[in-house]
Short mmCIF file of all heavy atoms in Angstrom, two decimals:
data_model
loop_
_atom_site.label_atom_id
_atom_site.label_comp_id
_atom_site.label_asym_id
_atom_site.label_seq_id
_atom_site.Cartn_x
_atom_site.Cartn_y
_atom_site.Cartn_z
N ALA G 1 -18.74 19.68 12.82
CA ALA G 1 -17.60 19.03 12.17
C ALA G 1 -17.52 19.38 10.69
O ALA G 1 -16.75 18.76 9.95
CB ALA G 1 -17.70 17.52 12.33
N GLN G 2 -18.29 20.38 10.24
CA GLN G 2 -18.22 20.90 8.88
C GLN G 2 -17.99 22.40 8.94
O GLN G 2 -18.31 23.04 9.95
CB GLN G 2 -19.52 20.62 8.11
CG GLN G 2 -19.68 19.20 7.60
CD GLN G 2 -20.92 19.09 6.74
OE1 GLN G 2 -22.05 19.20 7.20
NE2 GLN G 2 -20.71 18.86 5.45
N PRO G 3 -17.45 22.98 7.86
CA PRO G 3 -17.34 24.44 7.83
C PRO G 3 -18.72 25.08 7.99
O PRO G 3 -19.70 24.62 7.40
CB PRO G 3 -16.75 24.71 6.44
CG PRO G 3 -16.05 23.45 6.07
CD PRO G 3 -16.85 22.34 6.68
N ASN G 4 -18.81 26.11 8.77
CA ASN G 4 -20.07 26.76 9.07
C ASN G 4 -20.46 27.70 7.93
O ASN G 4 -19.69 28.58 7.56
CB ASN G 4 -19.97 27.53 10.39
CG ASN G 4 -21.31 28.07 10.83
OD1 ASN G 4 -22.35 27.55 10.43
ND2 ASN G 4 -21.30 29.12 11.64
N GLY G 5 -21.65 27.51 7.37
CA GLY G 5 -22.10 28.38 6.30
C GLY G 5 -22.96 27.63 5.30
O GLY G 5 -23.44 26.53 5.57
N ASP G 6 -23.16 28.24 4.14
CA ASP G 6 -23.95 27.64 3.09
C ASP G 6 -23.05 26.84 2.16
O ASP G 6 -22.02 27.34 1.67
CB ASP G 6 -24.69 28.72 2.30
CG ASP G 6 -25.74 29.41 3.14
OD1 ASP G 6 -26.78 28.79 3.41
OD2 ASP G 6 -25.51 30.57 3.55
N VAL G 7 -23.44 25.60 1.92
CA VAL G 7 -22.63 24.68 1.12
C VAL G 7 -23.37 24.37 -0.17
O VAL G 7 -24.56 24.02 -0.15
CB VAL G 7 -22.35 23.37 1.88
CG1 VAL G 7 -21.59 22.38 1.00
CG2 VAL G 7 -21.55 23.67 3.15
N LEU G 8 -22.68 24.52 -1.28
CA LEU G 8 -23.21 24.17 -2.59
C LEU G 8 -22.69 22.78 -2.95
O LEU G 8 -21.49 22.57 -3.08
CB LEU G 8 -22.77 25.19 -3.64
CG LEU G 8 -23.18 24.91 -5.09
CD1 LEU G 8 -24.69 24.82 -5.21
CD2 LEU G 8 -22.63 25.98 -6.02
N SER G 9 -23.62 21.83 -3.07
CA SER G 9 -23.27 20.46 -3.44
C SER G 9 -23.75 20.22 -4.86
O SER G 9 -24.91 20.47 -5.19
CB SER G 9 -23.92 19.46 -2.48
OG SER G 9 -23.65 18.13 -2.86
N ALA G 10 -22.85 19.75 -5.72
CA ALA G 10 -23.20 19.53 -7.12
C ALA G 10 -22.55 18.26 -7.61
O ALA G 10 -21.48 17.87 -7.15
CB ALA G 10 -22.75 20.72 -7.98
N SER G 11 -23.22 17.58 -8.55
CA SER G 11 -22.68 16.33 -9.08
C SER G 11 -23.13 16.14 -10.51
O SER G 11 -24.13 16.72 -10.96
CB SER G 11 -23.14 15.14 -8.23
OG SER G 11 -24.52 14.92 -8.39
N ALA G 12 -22.39 15.31 -11.22
CA ALA G 12 -22.74 14.91 -12.58
C ALA G 12 -22.25 13.49 -12.79
O ALA G 12 -21.17 13.13 -12.31
CB ALA G 12 -22.12 15.86 -13.60
N THR G 13 -23.04 12.69 -13.49
CA THR G 13 -22.67 11.30 -13.78
C THR G 13 -22.40 11.16 -15.27
O THR G 13 -23.21 11.61 -16.10
CB THR G 13 -23.79 10.34 -13.35
OG1 THR G 13 -24.01 10.46 -11.95
CG2 THR G 13 -23.41 8.90 -13.67
N ILE G 14 -21.28 10.53 -15.60
CA ILE G 14 -20.91 10.31 -17.00
C ILE G 14 -20.62 8.83 -17.20
O ILE G 14 -20.41 8.08 -16.23
CB ILE G 14 -19.68 11.14 -17.40
CG1 ILE G 14 -18.46 10.74 -16.54
CG2 ILE G 14 -19.97 12.63 -17.29
CD1 ILE G 14 -17.16 11.40 -16.96
N TRP G 15 -20.61 8.40 -18.45
CA TRP G 15 -20.26 7.02 -18.80
C TRP G 15 -18.94 7.02 -19.54
O TRP G 15 -18.70 7.85 -20.44
CB TRP G 15 -21.35 6.40 -19.67
CG TRP G 15 -21.01 5.01 -20.14
CD1 TRP G 15 -21.08 3.86 -19.43
CD2 TRP G 15 -20.51 4.65 -21.43
NE1 TRP G 15 -20.67 2.79 -20.19
CE2 TRP G 15 -20.31 3.25 -21.43
CE3 TRP G 15 -20.21 5.37 -22.59
CZ2 TRP G 15 -19.84 2.56 -22.54
CZ3 TRP G 15 -19.73 4.69 -23.70
CH2 TRP G 15 -19.55 3.29 -23.66
N LEU G 16 -18.04 6.11 -19.17
CA LEU G 16 -16.74 5.96 -19.82
C LEU G 16 -16.62 4.53 -20.35
O LEU G 16 -16.96 3.58 -19.64
CB LEU G 16 -15.60 6.23 -18.84
CG LEU G 16 -15.51 7.65 -18.27
CD1 LEU G 16 -14.40 7.73 -17.22
CD2 LEU G 16 -15.27 8.67 -19.37
N PRO G 17 -16.11 4.35 -21.56
CA PRO G 17 -15.98 3.01 -22.15
C PRO G 17 -14.75 2.27 -21.66
O PRO G 17 -13.97 1.73 -22.45
CB PRO G 17 -15.91 3.30 -23.65
CG PRO G 17 -15.23 4.63 -23.72
CD PRO G 17 -15.71 5.41 -22.52
N LEU G 18 -14.55 2.26 -20.33
CA LEU G 18 -13.39 1.61 -19.73
C LEU G 18 -13.84 0.77 -18.55
O LEU G 18 -14.82 1.12 -17.88
CB LEU G 18 -12.37 2.66 -19.26
CG LEU G 18 -11.69 3.52 -20.33
CD1 LEU G 18 -10.87 4.61 -19.68
CD2 LEU G 18 -10.79 2.66 -21.22
N PRO G 19 -13.13 -0.31 -18.23
CA PRO G 19 -13.49 -1.11 -17.05
C PRO G 19 -13.34 -0.28 -15.77
O PRO G 19 -12.45 0.58 -15.67
CB PRO G 19 -12.48 -2.27 -17.08
CG PRO G 19 -11.99 -2.33 -18.49
CD PRO G 19 -12.03 -0.92 -19.00
N PRO G 20 -14.20 -0.53 -14.78
CA PRO G 20 -14.14 0.26 -13.54
C PRO G 20 -12.79 0.20 -12.84
O PRO G 20 -12.35 1.21 -12.27
CB PRO G 20 -15.25 -0.36 -12.68
CG PRO G 20 -16.19 -0.96 -13.66
CD PRO G 20 -15.35 -1.45 -14.80
N ASP G 21 -12.10 -0.94 -12.87
CA ASP G 21 -10.80 -1.04 -12.21
C ASP G 21 -9.78 -0.08 -12.82
O ASP G 21 -9.00 0.55 -12.11
CB ASP G 21 -10.27 -2.47 -12.28
CG ASP G 21 -11.05 -3.43 -11.38
OD1 ASP G 21 -11.95 -2.94 -10.66
OD2 ASP G 21 -10.75 -4.63 -11.38
N ASN G 22 -9.78 0.03 -14.15
CA ASN G 22 -8.84 0.94 -14.81
C ASN G 22 -9.12 2.39 -14.44
O ASN G 22 -8.20 3.18 -14.21
CB ASN G 22 -8.93 0.77 -16.33
CG ASN G 22 -8.45 -0.59 -16.79
OD1 ASN G 22 -8.10 -1.43 -15.97
ND2 ASN G 22 -8.44 -0.83 -18.10
N VAL G 23 -10.42 2.74 -14.38
CA VAL G 23 -10.79 4.11 -14.03
C VAL G 23 -10.39 4.41 -12.59
O VAL G 23 -9.85 5.48 -12.28
CB VAL G 23 -12.30 4.32 -14.24
CG1 VAL G 23 -12.71 5.73 -13.81
CG2 VAL G 23 -12.68 4.08 -15.69
N PHE G 24 -10.62 3.47 -11.68
CA PHE G 24 -10.25 3.66 -10.27
C PHE G 24 -8.74 3.85 -10.12
O PHE G 24 -8.30 4.75 -9.40
CB PHE G 24 -10.73 2.46 -9.46
CG PHE G 24 -10.22 2.43 -8.05
CD1 PHE G 24 -10.69 3.31 -7.10
CD2 PHE G 24 -9.27 1.50 -7.66
CE1 PHE G 24 -10.24 3.29 -5.79
CE2 PHE G 24 -8.80 1.46 -6.35
CZ PHE G 24 -9.28 2.35 -5.42
N ASN G 25 -7.95 3.02 -10.76
CA ASN G 25 -6.49 3.14 -10.65
C ASN G 25 -6.00 4.48 -11.17
O ASN G 25 -5.03 5.05 -10.65
CB ASN G 25 -5.81 2.00 -11.42
CG ASN G 25 -6.00 0.65 -10.74
OD1 ASN G 25 -6.14 0.58 -9.52
ND2 ASN G 25 -6.04 -0.42 -11.52
N PHE G 26 -6.66 5.01 -12.18
CA PHE G 26 -6.28 6.32 -12.71
C PHE G 26 -6.54 7.42 -11.68
O PHE G 26 -5.69 8.29 -11.46
CB PHE G 26 -7.05 6.60 -14.00
CG PHE G 26 -6.91 8.00 -14.52
CD1 PHE G 26 -5.74 8.42 -15.15
CD2 PHE G 26 -7.94 8.91 -14.36
CE1 PHE G 26 -5.62 9.72 -15.61
CE2 PHE G 26 -7.83 10.21 -14.82
CZ PHE G 26 -6.66 10.61 -15.45
N PHE G 27 -7.68 7.39 -11.04
CA PHE G 27 -8.04 8.48 -10.12
C PHE G 27 -7.28 8.40 -8.79
O PHE G 27 -6.99 9.44 -8.20
CB PHE G 27 -9.55 8.47 -9.85
CG PHE G 27 -10.37 9.00 -10.98
CD1 PHE G 27 -11.40 8.23 -11.53
CD2 PHE G 27 -10.14 10.25 -11.52
CE1 PHE G 27 -12.16 8.71 -12.57
CE2 PHE G 27 -10.90 10.73 -12.57
CZ PHE G 27 -11.91 9.96 -13.10
N ARG G 28 -6.97 7.21 -8.32
CA ARG G 28 -6.35 7.10 -7.00
C ARG G 28 -4.86 7.37 -7.02
O ARG G 28 -4.25 7.61 -5.98
CB ARG G 28 -6.60 5.71 -6.42
CG ARG G 28 -5.77 4.60 -7.04
CD ARG G 28 -6.00 3.28 -6.35
NE ARG G 28 -5.24 2.18 -6.93
CZ ARG G 28 -3.99 1.87 -6.60
NH1 ARG G 28 -3.36 2.59 -5.67
NH2 ARG G 28 -3.36 0.86 -7.17
N ASP G 29 -4.23 7.35 -8.19
CA ASP G 29 -2.79 7.53 -8.32
C ASP G 29 -2.44 9.02 -8.24
O ASP G 29 -2.91 9.81 -9.06
CB ASP G 29 -2.31 6.94 -9.65
CG ASP G 29 -0.79 6.81 -9.71
OD1 ASP G 29 -0.10 7.50 -8.93
OD2 ASP G 29 -0.30 6.04 -10.55
N GLU G 30 -1.62 9.37 -7.25
CA GLU G 30 -1.27 10.79 -7.09
C GLU G 30 -0.47 11.32 -8.27
O GLU G 30 -0.45 12.53 -8.54
CB GLU G 30 -0.50 11.01 -5.78
CG GLU G 30 0.94 10.51 -5.77
CD GLU G 30 1.05 9.04 -5.46
OE1 GLU G 30 -0.02 8.37 -5.33
OE2 GLU G 30 2.17 8.54 -5.33
N ARG G 31 0.18 10.44 -9.02
CA ARG G 31 0.99 10.88 -10.17
C ARG G 31 0.12 11.36 -11.33
O ARG G 31 0.56 12.20 -12.13
CB ARG G 31 1.91 9.74 -10.63
CG ARG G 31 2.97 9.36 -9.61
CD ARG G 31 3.69 8.09 -10.00
NE ARG G 31 2.75 6.94 -10.02
CZ ARG G 31 3.10 5.70 -10.29
NH1 ARG G 31 4.38 5.43 -10.59
NH2 ARG G 31 2.20 4.73 -10.28
N THR G 32 -1.10 10.84 -11.44
CA THR G 32 -1.99 11.27 -12.52
C THR G 32 -3.00 12.32 -12.07
O THR G 32 -3.80 12.79 -12.88
CB THR G 32 -2.76 10.06 -13.08
OG1 THR G 32 -3.51 9.44 -12.02
CG2 THR G 32 -1.80 9.03 -13.67
N ARG G 33 -2.95 12.70 -10.80
CA ARG G 33 -3.93 13.66 -10.30
C ARG G 33 -3.90 15.00 -11.04
O ARG G 33 -4.97 15.54 -11.35
CB ARG G 33 -3.72 13.88 -8.80
CG ARG G 33 -4.83 14.70 -8.16
CD ARG G 33 -4.57 14.99 -6.70
NE ARG G 33 -5.77 15.52 -6.08
CZ ARG G 33 -6.68 14.80 -5.44
NH1 ARG G 33 -6.52 13.50 -5.33
NH2 ARG G 33 -7.76 15.36 -4.93
N PRO G 34 -2.75 15.57 -11.36
CA PRO G 34 -2.76 16.86 -12.07
C PRO G 34 -3.47 16.81 -13.42
O PRO G 34 -3.85 17.85 -13.95
CB PRO G 34 -1.26 17.17 -12.25
CG PRO G 34 -0.58 16.41 -11.16
CD PRO G 34 -1.38 15.16 -11.00
N GLN G 35 -3.67 15.61 -13.97
CA GLN G 35 -4.29 15.51 -15.28
C GLN G 35 -5.80 15.74 -15.24
O GLN G 35 -6.40 16.12 -16.25
CB GLN G 35 -4.01 14.13 -15.89
CG GLN G 35 -2.53 13.81 -16.09
CD GLN G 35 -2.32 12.42 -16.64
OE1 GLN G 35 -3.17 11.87 -17.34
NE2 GLN G 35 -1.17 11.81 -16.33
N TRP G 36 -6.44 15.50 -14.07
CA TRP G 36 -7.89 15.65 -14.01
C TRP G 36 -8.38 16.60 -12.93
O TRP G 36 -9.51 17.12 -13.03
CB TRP G 36 -8.55 14.28 -13.76
CG TRP G 36 -8.12 13.59 -12.48
CD1 TRP G 36 -7.11 12.71 -12.33
CD2 TRP G 36 -8.71 13.75 -11.18
NE1 TRP G 36 -7.00 12.30 -11.03
CE2 TRP G 36 -7.98 12.91 -10.29
CE3 TRP G 36 -9.77 14.50 -10.68
CZ2 TRP G 36 -8.28 12.84 -8.94
CZ3 TRP G 36 -10.07 14.41 -9.32
CH2 TRP G 36 -9.34 13.59 -8.47
N ASP G 37 -7.57 16.88 -11.92
CA ASP G 37 -8.00 17.75 -10.81
C ASP G 37 -7.75 19.20 -11.20
O ASP G 37 -6.62 19.69 -11.16
CB ASP G 37 -7.22 17.40 -9.54
CG ASP G 37 -7.73 18.16 -8.33
OD1 ASP G 37 -8.68 18.96 -8.48
OD2 ASP G 37 -7.19 17.96 -7.23
N VAL G 38 -8.82 19.90 -11.60
CA VAL G 38 -8.67 21.29 -12.07
C VAL G 38 -8.21 22.20 -10.95
O VAL G 38 -7.60 23.25 -11.20
CB VAL G 38 -9.99 21.79 -12.66
CG1 VAL G 38 -10.36 21.01 -13.89
CG2 VAL G 38 -11.12 21.73 -11.63
#
């Protein structure tokens, strides 16, 4: 149920001086997606 091959998994954790609800609403909104999704 996954693409067959070698998968590179990478992550980074950062801290933002904003409440978690505000950050979540920013990421889930499709209208703001072009601002952060490279």
Side-chain angles (χ1 to χ4, degrees):
Q2 282 186 293
N4 187 24
D6 293 287
V7 176
L8 176 60
S9 177
S11 70
T13 299
I14 61 174
W15 176 78
L16 296 175
L18 295 172
D21 288 358
N22 294 3
V23 178
F24 171 71
N25 290 331
F26 170 75
F27 285 125
R28 75 176 179 85
D29 193 340
E30 74 276 4
R31 294 170 297 181
T32 59
R33 189 184 192 93
Q35 300 178 28
W36 59 268
D37 186 0
V38 295

